[in-house]
Amino acid sequence: MTQNLPSGTPDDRTPNGPLAPPAGWAPAPLSDGGRPSVGRATRAQPVAGDPLGTSVLPAVTIEEFAPPRSRLPLVVVAVALLAAALIWAGTTWRAQSGPTAEGSPSARPSATSSAPGLPFVTPDERFTGRWEILQHQWTDSGLEVEIRVAAERGPITYSFAAFGNNDMQSTSASPGSQNPKFTGLPIASGRDETGWLFFPLERGPSTIILATASGNQMSALPVAG
């Protein structure tokens, strides 16, 4: 027994073939109106206002390209402030310590430093003293002088010589015609000796030399002619 099937049913196909579309079927139109394309990815639409092929860059100012600021002015100001502080501190310290230093024994001048005469030191720097010409007199035969020698750190041994500044002729001393006269003995520390000496010189500017007993020069003083 056979069964008549209507045409267009799923059985209207060849054996093992695809199903035939029903009568009157037509494919639905594509939304973009284009051709159908299998596997085509949807293209992203550009953002409104941005031209194609461009990117948005961050805002840039000219200050970003300026060289870094130097710290030299800050260093100069700091050094100036430090110097002013040190000067102020030093002035304040001197003002506070001034009366104390003046009142201390070490700040007062000693009797030795205020003593009259020209200071001298022996060639070996072991002994010191001061000396001066108290007065002088020119005679027909030469020069007489009164000399004082004081020993600060002695004993001091001494001798004298003189020369005229014009002829540079040196002469040794001899006892003067007036008193007191030099004894020629060493002068102990804190002691002094005064005496008259005679030099056979022609009248004129001259120089008196103080030397050790062995003749080594220690100091010199001028005498007017």
Side-chain angles (χ1 to χ4, degrees):
M1 179 179 181
T2 60
Q3 183 179 1
N4 293 328
L5 296 176
S7 62
T9 62
D11 291 336
D12 293 343
R13 60 184 178 181
T14 59
N16 299 327
L19 294 176
W25 176 87
L30 298 175
S31 60
D32 57 355
R35 297 180 178 178
S37 175
V38 179
R40 184 175 59 180
T42 303
R43 182 178 299 175
Q45 297 297 324
V47 180
D50 293 338
L52 295 177
T54 61
S55 59
V56 179
L57 298 177
V60 179
T61 61
I62 193 171
E63 286 79 6
E64 297 182 12
F65 299 95
R69 295 183 179 179
S70 174
R71 297 184 180 179
L72 181 60
L74 297 178
V75 175
V76 172
V77 172
V79 172
L81 292 177
L82 179 60
L86 292 176
I87 294 174
W88 177 84
T91 304
T92 304
W93 181 83
R94 286 194 298 269
Q96 294 177 352
S97 61
T100 304
E102 293 177 357
S104 62
S106 58
R108 291 196 300 266
S110 62
T112 301
S113 61
S114 62
L118 180 68
F120 66 88
V121 60
T122 57
D124 57 7
E125 300 183 355
R126 295 177 57 193
F127 309 114
T128 61
R130 309 178 75 89
W131 75 304
E132 60 182 328
I133 297 176
L134 300 178
Q135 55 182 322
H136 72 278
Q137 296 177 356
W138 285 98
T139 66
D140 295 339
S141 55
L143 173 65
E144 288 202 10
V145 293
E146 185 181 21
I147 296 176
R148 175 179 175 271
V149 179
E152 295 178 346
R153 186 170 72 243
I156 300 295
T157 62
Y158 55 89
S159 64
F160 300 95
F163 62 87
N165 294 352
N166 296 328
D167 55 17
M168 301 298 292
Q169 293 295 322
S170 179
T171 180
S172 58
S174 59
S177 61
Q178 303 182 57
N179 291 318
K181 297 179 175 58
F182 277 98
T183 63
L185 298 175
I187 304 174
S189 298
R191 305 296 297 272
D192 65 85
E193 188 166 352
T194 302
W196 282 87
L197 296 173
F198 174 76
F199 298 95
L201 295 172
E202 293 184 3
R203 185 164 186 168
S206 303
T207 300
I208 308 299
I209 298 173
L210 172 65
T212 63
S214 58
N216 296 319
Q217 181 177 336
M218 294 186 291
S219 183
L221 287 173
V223 175

